[in-house]
Amino acid sequence: MTALPGRTEKSLGLVIDLDTCVGCQACAVSCKEWNSASGSHAPLADLDAYGAAPAGTFLNRVHSFEVTPPEGPAVVVHFPRSCLHCADAPCVTVCPTGASYKRAEDGIVLVDEAACIGCGLCAWACPYGARELDGAERVMKKCTLCVDRIYNDALPEADRVPACVKACPTGARHFGDLADPGSAVSRLVAARGGFDLMPEQGTRPVNKYLPPRPRGPSGQAPLEPLAAAAPGGFLGWLDRALDRL
Amino acid sequence: MHPAVSIILFTVLSGAGFGLLALLGTGAAGRPAGWAAFVPFALGLGLAGAGLVASAFHLGRPERALRAFTQWRTSWLSREAVLAAATFAVVVPNAAASVLLARPLPGLGWAGAVLAVATVGSTAMIYAQMRTVPRWRHWTTLAVFLAAAAAGGTLLAGLRWPALAALGLLGIALAAHWRAGDRPLGRAGQDAGTATGLGALGRVRPLSPAHTGGSYVLKEMVHVVGRRHARRLRLLAFLLAVVLPAALVAPGWGGWLAFAIAAPLHLGGMLAARWLFFAEAEHVVGLYYGRG
Protein backbone atom coordinates (compact mmCIF):
# COMPACT_ATOMS: atom_id res chain seq x y z
CA MET A 1 0.00 0.00 0.00
CA THR A 2 1.31 3.46 -0.82
CA ALA A 3 -0.12 5.01 2.34
CA LEU A 4 2.74 6.09 4.60
CA PRO A 5 3.12 4.40 7.98
CA GLY A 6 1.99 6.75 10.78
CA ARG A 7 5.26 6.27 12.58
CA THR A 8 8.21 3.95 12.11
CA GLU A 9 9.92 1.97 14.88
CA LYS A 10 13.31 3.12 13.66
CA SER A 11 14.35 5.84 11.22
CA LEU A 12 17.44 4.42 9.59
CA GLY A 13 19.33 6.92 7.49
CA LEU A 14 22.55 8.71 6.72
CA VAL A 15 24.29 11.75 8.14
CA ILE A 16 26.49 13.39 5.51
CA ASP A 17 29.29 15.67 6.64
CA LEU A 18 29.78 18.46 4.10
CA ASP A 19 32.85 19.57 6.04
CA THR A 20 34.89 16.44 5.45
CA CYS A 21 33.54 15.25 2.08
CA VAL A 22 36.30 15.62 -0.50
CA GLY A 23 34.17 14.86 -3.55
CA CYS A 24 36.17 11.76 -4.50
CA GLN A 25 33.05 9.94 -5.83
CA ALA A 26 34.03 6.74 -3.97
CA CYS A 27 30.50 6.55 -2.49
CA ALA A 28 28.90 6.92 -5.94
CA VAL A 29 31.14 4.22 -7.41
CA SER A 30 30.79 1.75 -4.53
CA CYS A 31 27.01 2.28 -4.59
CA LYS A 32 26.90 1.51 -8.29
CA GLU A 33 29.12 -1.54 -7.78
CA TRP A 34 27.15 -3.06 -4.89
CA ASN A 35 23.75 -2.38 -6.43
CA SER A 36 24.82 -3.86 -9.77
CA ALA A 37 26.61 -6.95 -8.49
CA SER A 38 24.82 -7.89 -5.26
CA GLY A 39 22.22 -9.92 -7.14
CA SER A 40 19.39 -8.64 -4.94
CA HIS A 41 17.85 -6.84 -7.91
CA ALA A 42 18.53 -6.01 -11.54
CA PRO A 43 21.86 -4.20 -12.11
CA LEU A 44 22.04 -0.43 -12.60
CA ALA A 45 22.17 0.19 -16.35
CA ASP A 46 24.94 1.79 -18.34
CA LEU A 47 23.79 2.88 -21.78
CA ASP A 48 26.18 3.66 -24.64
CA ALA A 49 29.01 3.29 -22.10
CA TYR A 50 31.78 3.58 -24.71
CA GLY A 51 29.86 5.70 -27.23
CA ALA A 52 29.33 9.38 -27.82
CA ALA A 53 26.60 9.95 -25.24
CA PRO A 54 27.12 7.64 -22.25
CA ALA A 55 24.37 7.67 -19.62
CA GLY A 56 23.63 5.44 -16.70
CA THR A 57 21.70 4.90 -13.51
CA PHE A 58 23.28 6.07 -10.27
CA LEU A 59 21.62 6.16 -6.86
CA ASN A 60 24.07 8.70 -5.50
CA ARG A 61 25.45 11.78 -7.28
CA VAL A 62 28.15 14.05 -5.88
CA HIS A 63 27.94 17.73 -6.88
CA SER A 64 30.48 20.44 -6.10
CA PHE A 65 29.47 23.97 -5.13
CA GLU A 66 31.43 27.14 -4.52
CA VAL A 67 30.31 29.13 -1.47
CA THR A 68 31.53 32.72 -1.29
CA PRO A 69 31.03 34.26 2.17
CA PRO A 70 30.43 38.03 2.44
CA GLU A 71 34.05 38.32 3.62
CA GLY A 72 36.95 35.97 3.11
CA PRO A 73 37.90 33.48 0.45
CA ALA A 74 35.44 31.22 -1.36
CA VAL A 75 35.26 27.60 -0.28
CA VAL A 76 34.41 24.50 -2.28
CA VAL A 77 31.73 22.27 -0.78
CA HIS A 78 31.22 18.77 -2.16
CA PHE A 79 27.62 17.70 -1.94
CA PRO A 80 26.48 14.07 -2.23
CA ARG A 81 22.82 13.77 -3.23
CA SER A 82 20.76 10.59 -2.73
CA CYS A 83 17.45 9.39 -1.28
CA LEU A 84 16.74 10.96 2.13
CA HIS A 85 14.18 8.29 3.16
CA CYS A 86 11.70 11.05 4.06
CA ALA A 87 9.12 10.57 6.81
CA ASP A 88 6.53 12.23 4.54
CA ALA A 89 7.84 10.75 1.30
CA PRO A 90 5.85 12.26 -1.61
CA CYS A 91 7.30 9.63 -3.97
CA VAL A 92 5.44 6.89 -2.08
CA THR A 93 1.93 8.36 -2.01
CA VAL A 94 1.84 9.22 -5.73
CA CYS A 95 2.69 5.64 -6.79
CA PRO A 96 -0.33 4.15 -8.59
CA THR A 97 0.70 0.51 -8.18
CA GLY A 98 1.97 0.13 -4.63
CA ALA A 99 5.48 -0.56 -5.90
CA SER A 100 6.84 2.32 -3.81
CA TYR A 101 6.56 1.89 -0.08
CA LYS A 102 8.03 2.98 3.23
CA ARG A 103 8.75 0.25 5.74
CA ALA A 104 7.08 0.62 9.13
CA GLU A 105 9.89 -1.20 10.94
CA ASP A 106 12.89 0.92 9.90
CA GLY A 107 11.57 3.74 7.68
CA ILE A 108 13.49 2.66 4.56
CA VAL A 109 11.80 3.74 1.30
CA LEU A 110 11.94 0.96 -1.29
CA VAL A 111 10.64 0.05 -4.75
CA ASP A 112 9.24 -3.40 -5.52
CA GLU A 113 10.70 -3.69 -9.00
CA ALA A 114 8.30 -6.48 -9.99
CA ALA A 115 5.29 -4.19 -9.38
CA CYS A 116 6.71 -0.98 -10.93
CA ILE A 117 5.12 0.12 -14.21
CA GLY A 118 7.80 2.76 -14.86
CA CYS A 119 5.39 5.71 -15.03
CA GLY A 120 8.00 8.02 -13.50
CA LEU A 121 5.56 9.92 -11.29
CA CYS A 122 7.57 9.19 -8.11
CA ALA A 123 10.66 10.74 -9.71
CA TRP A 124 8.63 13.87 -10.49
CA ALA A 125 7.39 14.02 -6.89
CA CYS A 126 10.90 13.81 -5.38
CA PRO A 127 12.47 17.28 -4.91
CA TYR A 128 15.95 15.79 -4.56
CA GLY A 129 16.21 13.93 -7.88
CA ALA A 130 16.89 10.75 -5.93
CA ARG A 131 15.01 8.38 -8.24
CA GLU A 132 16.14 7.34 -11.69
CA LEU A 133 14.21 5.24 -14.19
CA ASP A 134 16.59 2.50 -15.33
CA GLY A 135 17.25 2.70 -19.06
CA ALA A 136 17.51 -1.08 -19.44
CA GLU A 137 15.05 -2.45 -16.86
CA ARG A 138 12.44 0.31 -17.42
CA VAL A 139 11.64 0.35 -13.70
CA MET A 140 12.41 2.93 -11.02
CA LYS A 141 15.69 2.65 -9.14
CA LYS A 142 16.56 4.30 -5.86
CA CYS A 143 18.81 4.05 -2.82
CA THR A 144 17.81 1.03 -0.70
CA LEU A 145 20.05 2.10 2.19
CA CYS A 146 21.74 -1.18 1.23
CA VAL A 147 18.96 -3.15 2.86
CA ASP A 148 20.71 -6.25 1.49
CA ARG A 149 23.87 -5.39 3.46
CA ILE A 150 22.70 -3.93 6.76
CA TYR A 151 20.68 -7.04 7.74
CA ASN A 152 22.93 -9.52 5.93
CA ASP A 153 24.15 -12.22 8.32
CA ALA A 154 26.46 -13.59 5.61
CA LEU A 155 28.59 -10.45 5.85
CA PRO A 156 31.05 -9.75 8.67
CA GLU A 157 29.44 -7.39 11.19
CA ALA A 158 31.75 -4.51 10.21
CA ASP A 159 30.42 -4.67 6.66
CA ARG A 160 26.75 -4.40 7.64
CA VAL A 161 26.56 -0.73 6.68
CA PRO A 162 25.57 0.86 3.35
CA ALA A 163 28.26 0.50 0.68
CA CYS A 164 28.72 4.29 0.44
CA VAL A 165 29.42 4.55 4.19
CA LYS A 166 31.88 1.67 4.03
CA ALA A 167 33.70 3.22 1.05
CA CYS A 168 34.02 6.82 2.25
CA PRO A 169 37.76 7.45 2.84
CA THR A 170 37.20 10.54 5.00
CA GLY A 171 34.41 9.26 7.23
CA ALA A 172 32.00 11.83 5.86
CA ARG A 173 29.07 9.40 5.79
CA HIS A 174 27.47 8.01 8.93
CA PHE A 175 24.73 5.40 9.19
CA GLY A 176 22.35 4.85 12.08
CA ASP A 177 18.92 5.26 13.67
CA LEU A 178 17.93 8.91 13.62
CA ALA A 179 14.74 8.22 15.60
CA ASP A 180 16.86 7.27 18.65
CA PRO A 181 18.10 10.52 20.26
CA GLY A 182 20.92 8.62 21.96
CA SER A 183 22.36 7.08 18.79
CA ALA A 184 25.76 8.19 17.52
CA VAL A 185 24.22 9.77 14.40
CA SER A 186 21.61 11.69 16.42
CA ARG A 187 24.29 13.01 18.78
CA LEU A 188 26.39 14.03 15.78
CA VAL A 189 23.44 15.92 14.27
CA ALA A 190 22.81 17.68 17.59
CA ALA A 191 26.48 18.61 18.08
CA ARG A 192 27.13 19.88 14.56
CA GLY A 193 23.79 21.53 13.74
CA GLY A 194 22.67 18.98 11.15
CA PHE A 195 19.94 20.24 8.83
CA ASP A 196 17.19 19.06 6.46
CA LEU A 197 17.38 19.60 2.69
CA MET A 198 14.60 21.76 1.22
CA PRO A 199 12.48 21.84 4.41
CA GLU A 200 9.91 23.97 2.54
CA GLN A 201 8.96 20.87 0.55
CA GLY A 202 7.44 19.36 3.69
CA THR A 203 9.07 15.95 3.16
CA ARG A 204 10.63 15.65 6.65
CA PRO A 205 13.79 13.89 5.45
CA VAL A 206 15.45 11.33 7.73
CA ASN A 207 18.93 11.92 6.29
CA LYS A 208 20.70 14.98 7.66
CA TYR A 209 23.52 17.14 6.33
CA LEU A 210 26.24 18.62 8.56
CA PRO A 211 27.34 22.14 7.51
CA PRO A 212 30.98 22.97 6.75
CA ARG A 213 32.84 24.19 9.83
CA PRO A 214 33.92 27.87 9.85
CA ARG A 215 37.35 28.30 8.19
CA GLY A 216 40.17 30.32 9.79
CA PRO A 217 40.20 34.06 10.36
CA SER A 218 38.18 35.76 7.66
CA GLY A 219 39.76 38.23 5.25
CA GLN A 220 43.17 36.58 5.28
CA ALA A 221 44.43 34.43 2.44
CA PRO A 222 45.94 31.33 4.07
CA LEU A 223 49.23 31.41 2.10
CA GLU A 224 49.93 35.12 2.74
CA PRO A 225 52.04 34.70 5.92
CA LEU A 226 54.24 32.13 4.19
CA ALA A 227 54.82 34.32 1.15
CA ALA A 228 55.72 37.37 3.31
CA ALA A 229 58.46 35.60 5.32
CA ALA A 230 61.92 36.37 3.89
CA PRO A 231 63.99 33.20 3.54
CA GLY A 232 67.35 33.04 5.33
CA GLY A 233 70.51 30.93 4.89
CA PHE A 234 71.48 29.59 1.47
CA LEU A 235 68.03 30.21 -0.06
CA GLY A 236 68.13 33.81 1.19
CA TRP A 237 71.56 34.31 -0.40
CA LEU A 238 70.33 32.72 -3.68
CA ASP A 239 67.22 34.93 -3.63
CA ARG A 240 69.34 38.10 -3.20
CA ALA A 241 71.91 36.95 -5.79
CA LEU A 242 69.21 36.33 -8.39
CA ASP A 243 67.66 39.73 -7.62
CA ARG A 244 70.98 41.41 -8.44
CA LEU A 245 71.30 39.78 -11.88
CA MET B 1 9.82 18.93 -17.51
CA HIS B 2 10.28 16.71 -20.54
CA PRO B 3 7.33 17.19 -22.92
CA ALA B 4 6.56 13.54 -23.76
CA VAL B 5 4.44 13.16 -26.91
CA SER B 6 2.48 10.29 -25.35
CA ILE B 7 1.32 12.38 -22.37
CA ILE B 8 0.56 15.45 -24.49
CA LEU B 9 -1.61 13.39 -26.85
CA PHE B 10 -3.24 11.61 -23.93
CA THR B 11 -4.20 14.71 -21.94
CA VAL B 12 -5.46 16.68 -24.96
CA LEU B 13 -7.39 13.90 -26.73
CA SER B 14 -8.81 12.32 -23.58
CA GLY B 15 -9.73 15.73 -22.20
CA ALA B 16 -11.80 16.59 -25.27
CA GLY B 17 -13.27 13.07 -25.46
CA PHE B 18 -14.36 13.03 -21.81
CA GLY B 19 -15.72 16.57 -22.26
CA LEU B 20 -17.90 15.39 -25.14
CA LEU B 21 -19.03 12.28 -23.22
CA ALA B 22 -20.00 14.46 -20.25
CA LEU B 23 -22.14 16.70 -22.50
CA LEU B 24 -23.80 13.68 -24.12
CA GLY B 25 -24.53 12.27 -20.68
CA THR B 26 -26.22 15.41 -19.38
CA GLY B 27 -28.39 15.70 -22.46
CA ALA B 28 -26.99 19.20 -23.16
CA ALA B 29 -26.62 18.12 -26.80
CA GLY B 30 -30.07 16.52 -26.78
CA ARG B 31 -30.42 12.77 -26.39
CA PRO B 32 -29.66 11.46 -29.88
CA ALA B 33 -31.02 8.00 -30.66
CA GLY B 34 -30.31 5.47 -33.37
CA TRP B 35 -27.59 6.18 -35.90
CA ALA B 36 -27.63 9.90 -35.03
CA ALA B 37 -26.12 8.88 -31.69
CA PHE B 38 -23.36 6.80 -33.28
CA VAL B 39 -21.07 9.63 -34.41
CA PRO B 40 -20.98 11.65 -31.16
CA PHE B 41 -20.58 8.58 -28.91
CA ALA B 42 -17.95 7.04 -31.21
CA LEU B 43 -16.09 10.35 -31.31
CA GLY B 44 -16.16 10.76 -27.51
CA LEU B 45 -15.22 7.16 -26.73
CA GLY B 46 -12.67 7.11 -29.57
CA LEU B 47 -10.85 10.26 -28.41
CA ALA B 48 -10.90 9.26 -24.75
CA GLY B 49 -9.78 5.72 -25.61
CA ALA B 50 -7.05 6.83 -28.01
CA GLY B 51 -5.69 9.13 -25.33
CA LEU B 52 -5.62 6.31 -22.78
CA VAL B 53 -3.80 4.05 -25.25
CA ALA B 54 -1.27 6.86 -25.92
CA SER B 55 -0.67 7.19 -22.17
CA ALA B 56 0.40 3.53 -22.00
CA PHE B 57 3.33 4.36 -24.28
CA HIS B 58 4.70 6.55 -21.52
CA LEU B 59 5.10 3.56 -19.21
CA GLY B 60 8.36 1.70 -18.89
CA ARG B 61 6.43 -1.53 -18.26
CA PRO B 62 3.02 -1.13 -19.94
CA GLU B 63 2.32 -4.86 -19.53
CA ARG B 64 1.83 -4.22 -15.80
CA ALA B 65 -0.60 -1.31 -16.33
CA LEU B 66 -3.47 -3.11 -14.55
CA ARG B 67 -1.61 -2.65 -11.26
CA ALA B 68 -2.32 1.08 -11.54
CA PHE B 69 -5.93 0.45 -10.48
CA THR B 70 -4.99 -0.52 -6.93
CA GLN B 71 -3.76 2.60 -5.09
CA TRP B 72 -6.70 4.98 -5.49
CA ARG B 73 -6.64 5.78 -1.78
CA THR B 74 -3.46 7.87 -2.11
CA SER B 75 -2.52 8.27 -5.78
CA TRP B 76 -4.17 10.67 -8.24
CA LEU B 77 -2.79 8.63 -11.14
CA SER B 78 -4.50 5.53 -9.77
CA ARG B 79 -7.74 7.50 -9.20
CA GLU B 80 -7.57 8.69 -12.80
CA ALA B 81 -7.22 5.11 -14.04
CA VAL B 82 -10.15 3.91 -11.90
CA LEU B 83 -12.37 6.84 -12.88
CA ALA B 84 -11.54 6.49 -16.60
CA ALA B 85 -12.43 2.80 -16.50
CA ALA B 86 -15.62 3.54 -14.55
CA THR B 87 -16.59 6.20 -17.12
CA PHE B 88 -16.22 3.68 -19.93
CA ALA B 89 -18.16 1.07 -17.95
CA VAL B 90 -21.09 3.49 -17.62
CA VAL B 91 -20.93 5.27 -21.00
CA VAL B 92 -20.60 2.19 -23.21
CA PRO B 93 -23.98 0.65 -22.15
CA ASN B 94 -25.66 4.05 -22.60
CA ALA B 95 -24.06 4.44 -26.05
CA ALA B 96 -25.13 0.91 -27.03
CA ALA B 97 -28.69 1.49 -25.85
CA SER B 98 -28.84 4.86 -27.63
CA VAL B 99 -27.48 3.57 -30.95
CA LEU B 100 -28.74 -0.02 -31.17
CA LEU B 101 -32.05 0.21 -29.28
CA ALA B 102 -32.67 3.94 -29.93
CA ARG B 103 -33.38 4.18 -26.19
CA PRO B 104 -30.99 6.57 -24.37
CA LEU B 105 -30.59 5.89 -20.64
CA PRO B 106 -30.48 9.31 -18.88
CA GLY B 107 -29.58 7.78 -15.51
CA LEU B 108 -26.44 6.17 -16.89
CA GLY B 109 -25.83 9.33 -18.92
CA TRP B 110 -25.70 11.53 -15.83
CA ALA B 111 -23.51 9.05 -13.97
CA GLY B 112 -21.15 8.98 -16.96
CA ALA B 113 -21.06 12.79 -17.06
CA VAL B 114 -20.04 13.03 -13.40
CA LEU B 115 -17.38 10.34 -13.84
CA ALA B 116 -16.01 11.94 -17.02
CA VAL B 117 -15.58 15.32 -15.31
CA ALA B 118 -13.99 13.61 -12.29
CA THR B 119 -11.56 11.80 -14.61
CA VAL B 120 -10.40 15.07 -16.18
CA GLY B 121 -10.13 16.60 -12.71
CA SER B 122 -7.97 13.75 -11.43
CA THR B 123 -5.71 14.05 -14.49
CA ALA B 124 -5.20 17.71 -13.62
CA MET B 125 -4.54 16.85 -9.96
CA ILE B 126 -1.64 14.58 -10.96
CA TYR B 127 0.14 17.78 -11.97
CA ALA B 128 -1.44 20.26 -9.55
CA GLN B 129 -0.32 18.16 -6.54
CA MET B 130 3.40 18.41 -7.47
CA ARG B 131 5.04 20.65 -4.89
CA THR B 132 8.29 20.06 -6.79
CA VAL B 133 6.98 21.89 -9.87
CA PRO B 134 5.83 25.35 -8.73
CA ARG B 135 4.34 26.18 -12.14
CA TRP B 136 1.90 23.26 -11.82
CA ARG B 137 1.02 23.55 -8.13
CA HIS B 138 -1.60 26.20 -8.73
CA TRP B 139 -5.41 26.29 -9.10
CA THR B 140 -4.98 27.39 -12.73
CA THR B 141 -3.76 23.87 -13.63
CA LEU B 142 -7.15 22.41 -12.68
CA ALA B 143 -8.92 25.34 -14.38
CA VAL B 144 -7.05 24.85 -17.67
CA PHE B 145 -7.72 21.10 -17.79
CA LEU B 146 -11.45 21.46 -17.00
CA ALA B 147 -11.96 24.44 -19.34
CA ALA B 148 -10.12 22.66 -22.16
CA ALA B 149 -12.36 19.60 -21.73
CA ALA B 150 -15.45 21.85 -21.79
CA ALA B 151 -14.24 23.74 -24.87
CA GLY B 152 -13.27 20.58 -26.74
CA GLY B 153 -16.53 18.85 -25.80
CA THR B 154 -18.81 21.73 -26.76
CA LEU B 155 -17.00 22.28 -30.09
CA LEU B 156 -17.25 18.57 -30.93
CA ALA B 157 -20.92 18.57 -29.91
CA GLY B 158 -21.61 21.63 -32.09
CA LEU B 159 -23.09 23.73 -29.28
CA ARG B 160 -22.59 27.39 -30.23
CA TRP B 161 -23.20 29.40 -27.03
CA PRO B 162 -21.76 26.82 -24.60
CA ALA B 163 -18.71 26.58 -26.88
CA LEU B 164 -18.21 30.34 -26.83
CA ALA B 165 -18.57 30.41 -23.03
CA ALA B 166 -16.14 27.49 -22.59
CA LEU B 167 -13.61 29.07 -24.98
CA GLY B 168 -13.83 32.31 -22.99
CA LEU B 169 -13.13 30.43 -19.75
CA LEU B 170 -10.27 28.54 -21.40
CA GLY B 171 -8.73 31.81 -22.58
CA ILE B 172 -8.88 33.27 -19.08
CA ALA B 173 -7.53 30.04 -17.52
CA LEU B 174 -4.61 29.78 -19.99
CA ALA B 175 -3.64 33.43 -19.52
CA ALA B 176 -3.86 33.10 -15.73
CA HIS B 177 -1.78 29.90 -15.78
CA TRP B 178 0.96 31.54 -17.84
CA ARG B 179 0.92 34.68 -15.74
CA ALA B 180 1.06 32.82 -12.43
CA GLY B 181 3.76 30.46 -13.68
CA ASP B 182 6.10 33.17 -14.89
CA ARG B 183 7.27 33.80 -11.35
CA PRO B 184 10.57 31.94 -11.63
CA LEU B 185 11.89 29.77 -8.83
CA GLY B 186 14.38 32.47 -7.94
CA ARG B 187 11.67 34.96 -7.10
CA ALA B 188 9.85 32.31 -5.08
CA GLY B 189 12.91 32.46 -2.80
CA GLN B 190 14.52 29.26 -4.03
CA ASP B 191 18.05 29.02 -5.40
CA ALA B 192 21.16 26.85 -5.09
CA GLY B 193 21.61 28.30 -1.58
CA THR B 194 18.25 27.05 -0.30
CA ALA B 195 18.50 23.74 -2.18
CA THR B 196 21.85 22.87 -0.60
CA GLY B 197 21.16 24.52 2.76
CA LEU B 198 24.47 26.40 2.34
CA GLY B 199 22.91 29.79 1.59
CA ALA B 200 23.45 31.05 5.16
CA LEU B 201 27.22 30.76 4.67
CA GLY B 202 27.41 32.85 1.51
CA ARG B 203 26.64 32.98 -2.17
CA VAL B 204 26.29 29.45 -3.60
CA ARG B 205 27.16 28.64 -7.18
CA PRO B 206 27.46 25.24 -8.87
CA LEU B 207 31.14 24.57 -9.52
CA SER B 208 31.10 21.20 -11.23
CA PRO B 209 28.14 18.99 -12.05
CA ALA B 210 27.79 15.57 -10.47
CA HIS B 211 28.26 13.90 -13.83
CA THR B 212 29.37 14.80 -17.34
CA GLY B 213 27.17 12.23 -19.09
CA GLY B 214 23.40 12.35 -19.33
CA SER B 215 21.01 11.13 -16.67
CA TYR B 216 17.33 10.35 -16.34
CA VAL B 217 16.86 13.24 -13.90
CA LEU B 218 18.42 15.77 -16.30
CA LYS B 219 16.48 14.50 -19.31
CA GLU B 220 13.14 14.20 -17.52
CA MET B 221 13.17 17.07 -15.02
CA VAL B 222 15.63 19.67 -16.31
CA HIS B 223 14.30 20.07 -19.85
CA VAL B 224 15.45 23.39 -21.34
CA VAL B 225 15.08 23.04 -25.11
CA GLY B 226 12.47 25.24 -26.71
CA ARG B 227 11.81 27.70 -23.89
CA ARG B 228 13.34 30.34 -26.15
CA HIS B 229 10.34 30.19 -28.46
CA ALA B 230 7.82 30.01 -25.64
CA ARG B 231 6.33 33.48 -26.23
CA ARG B 232 5.66 32.89 -29.92
CA LEU B 233 4.30 29.43 -29.21
CA ARG B 234 1.98 30.83 -26.54
CA LEU B 235 0.54 33.26 -29.06
CA LEU B 236 0.07 30.48 -31.61
CA ALA B 237 -1.54 28.19 -29.02
CA PHE B 238 -3.89 30.93 -27.86
CA LEU B 239 -4.93 31.81 -31.43
CA LEU B 240 -5.55 28.17 -32.41
CA ALA B 241 -7.09 26.92 -29.17
CA VAL B 242 -9.26 29.91 -28.30
CA VAL B 243 -9.49 32.85 -30.74
CA LEU B 244 -9.95 31.16 -34.12
CA PRO B 245 -12.48 28.53 -32.93
CA ALA B 246 -14.47 31.28 -31.18
CA ALA B 247 -14.45 33.42 -34.34
CA LEU B 248 -15.54 30.46 -36.48
CA VAL B 249 -18.51 29.40 -34.36
CA ALA B 250 -19.63 32.95 -33.54
CA PRO B 251 -23.16 33.77 -34.78
CA GLY B 252 -23.54 34.73 -38.44
CA TRP B 253 -21.39 31.97 -39.81
CA GLY B 254 -22.09 28.56 -41.27
CA GLY B 255 -23.39 25.64 -39.24
CA TRP B 256 -21.70 22.28 -38.85
CA LEU B 257 -18.86 23.14 -41.26
CA ALA B 258 -17.67 25.92 -38.93
CA PHE B 259 -17.54 23.40 -36.04
CA ALA B 260 -15.83 20.80 -38.26
CA ILE B 261 -13.02 23.31 -38.85
CA ALA B 262 -13.01 24.87 -35.36
CA ALA B 263 -12.70 21.60 -33.40
CA PRO B 264 -9.47 20.35 -35.04
CA LEU B 265 -7.97 23.86 -34.84
CA HIS B 266 -8.78 23.94 -31.14
CA LEU B 267 -7.22 20.50 -30.54
CA GLY B 268 -4.09 21.58 -32.45
CA GLY B 269 -3.84 24.70 -30.30
CA MET B 270 -4.28 22.63 -27.14
CA LEU B 271 -1.46 20.31 -28.24
CA ALA B 272 0.82 23.38 -28.45
CA ALA B 273 -0.45 24.70 -25.11
CA ARG B 274 0.08 21.31 -23.46
CA TRP B 275 3.60 21.08 -24.91
CA LEU B 276 4.31 24.41 -23.23
CA PHE B 277 2.67 23.16 -20.02
CA PHE B 278 5.47 20.59 -19.75
CA ALA B 279 8.39 22.33 -21.47
CA GLU B 280 8.04 25.52 -19.41
CA ALA B 281 7.61 23.74 -16.05
CA GLU B 282 10.71 23.96 -13.86
CA HIS B 283 11.42 21.18 -11.33
CA VAL B 284 13.21 22.18 -8.12
CA VAL B 285 15.90 19.52 -8.69
CA GLY B 286 17.23 21.85 -11.42
CA LEU B 287 18.52 24.06 -8.59
CA TYR B 288 21.27 21.51 -7.91
CA TYR B 289 22.33 21.83 -11.52
CA GLY B 290 22.32 25.63 -11.55
CA ARG B 291 19.00 25.85 -13.35
CA GLY B 292 15.64 26.74 -12.04
Side-chain angles (χ1 to χ4, degrees), chain B residues 6-256:
Chain B
S6 53
I7 307 191
I8 294 171
L9 281 175
F10 156 58
T11 54
V12 171
L13 298 182
S14 284
F18 284 121
L20 176 57
L21 292 177
L23 286 167
L24 290 171
T26 59
R31 294 217 179 266
W35 285 108
F38 178 79
V39 173
F41 274 113
L43 200 57
L45 289 168
L47 283 171
L52 291 172
V53 170
S55 76
F57 284 97
H58 179 66
L59 302 179
R61 295 284 194 149
E63 73 275 15
R64 300 174 182 162
L66 283 181
R67 289 181 181 271
F69 290 91
T70 60
Q71 304 301 312
W72 47 270
R73 285 184 195 84
T74 58
S75 165
W76 280 108
L77 180 52
S78 189
R79 285 170 199 159
E80 178 201 42
V82 170
L83 287 166
T87 308
F88 271 76
V90 170
V91 170
V92 169
N94 184 30
S98 301
V99 176
L100 300 177
L101 309 175
R103 284 187 55 184
L105 304 167
L108 281 185
W110 274 101
V114 171
L115 287 168
V117 173
T119 306
V120 176
S122 61
T123 304
M125 284 309 294
I126 292 173
Y127 306 104
Q129 71 175 330
M130 289 286 164
R131 210 184 281 234
T132 51
V133 186
R135 197 180 276 272
W136 289 351
R137 196 177 167 85
H138 200 265
W139 62 267
T140 53
T141 297
L142 188 60
V144 166
F145 274 70
L146 290 175
T154 47
L155 284 172
L156 290 167
L159 300 171
R160 171 169 291 159
W161 291 109
L164 286 170
L167 287 168
L169 286 175
L170 176 61
I172 293 168
L174 274 176
H177 181 72
W178 287 332
R179 198 179 149 77
D182 281 345
R183 291 168 301 140
L185 287 175
R187 263 180 265 161
Q190 288 173 298
D191 54 28
T194 61
T196 57
L198 298 169
L201 302 176
R203 190 162 41 82
V204 179
R205 155 179 104 86
L207 194 61
S208 78
H211 45 94
T212 49
S215 80
Y216 171 77
V217 168
L218 273 183
K219 184 171 155 286
E220 185 75 8
M221 260 85 81
V222 197
H223 180 85
V224 283
V225 183
R227 283 189 201 165
R228 288 168 295 147
H229 299 305
R231 299 235 161 249
R232 245 175 285 173
L233 202 56
R234 275 186 190 180
L235 191 67
L236 185 74
F238 200 82
L239 278 176
L240 286 175
V242 178
V243 178
L244 287 177
L248 277 165
V249 304
W253 290 77
W256 65 270

Side-chain angles (χ1 to χ4, degrees), chain A residues 54-203:
Chain A
T57 308
F58 284 79
L59 310 183
N60 184 19
R61 306 270 192 181
V62 186
H63 297 251
S64 297
F65 292 93
E66 178 195 72
V67 183
T68 311
E71 282 173 35
V75 292
V76 170
V77 179
H78 302 290
F79 187 91
R81 178 173 60 78
S82 60
C83 174
L84 304 163
H85 298 279
C86 304
D88 287 332
C91 56
V92 169
T93 50
V94 298
C95 176
T97 69
S100 274
Y101 61 102
K102 184 174 176 70
R103 308 209 308 181
E105 62 267 37
D106 53 17
I108 301 179
V109 176
L110 291 173
V111 175
D112 174 2
E113 293 184 4
C116 174
I117 58 172
C119 69
L121 201 58
C122 55
W124 289 7
C126 173
Y128 313 108
R131 288 170 169 249
E132 303 197 5
L133 191 77
D134 192 82
E137 284 300 310
R138 311 300 300 153
V139 295
M140 199 54 73
K141 293 283 192 176
K142 70 175 295 301
C143 161
T144 67
L145 212 59
C146 282
V147 71
D148 50 352
R149 287 178 67 96
I150 59 176
Y151 298 113
N152 193 338
D153 292 337
L155 294 177
E157 200 167 339
D159 285 345
R160 289 178 211 161
V161 292
C164 58
V165 173
K166 183 78 185 165
C168 181
T170 63
R173 301 177 75 92
H174 306 266
F175 165 69
D177 179 10
L178 286 137
D180 172 8
S183 69
V185 281
S186 294
R187 281 186 278 123
L188 191 58
V189 170
R192 291 278 308 282
F195 61 89
D196 289 349
L197 283 193
M198 291 194 186
E200 72 279 6
Q201 289 280 331
T203 53

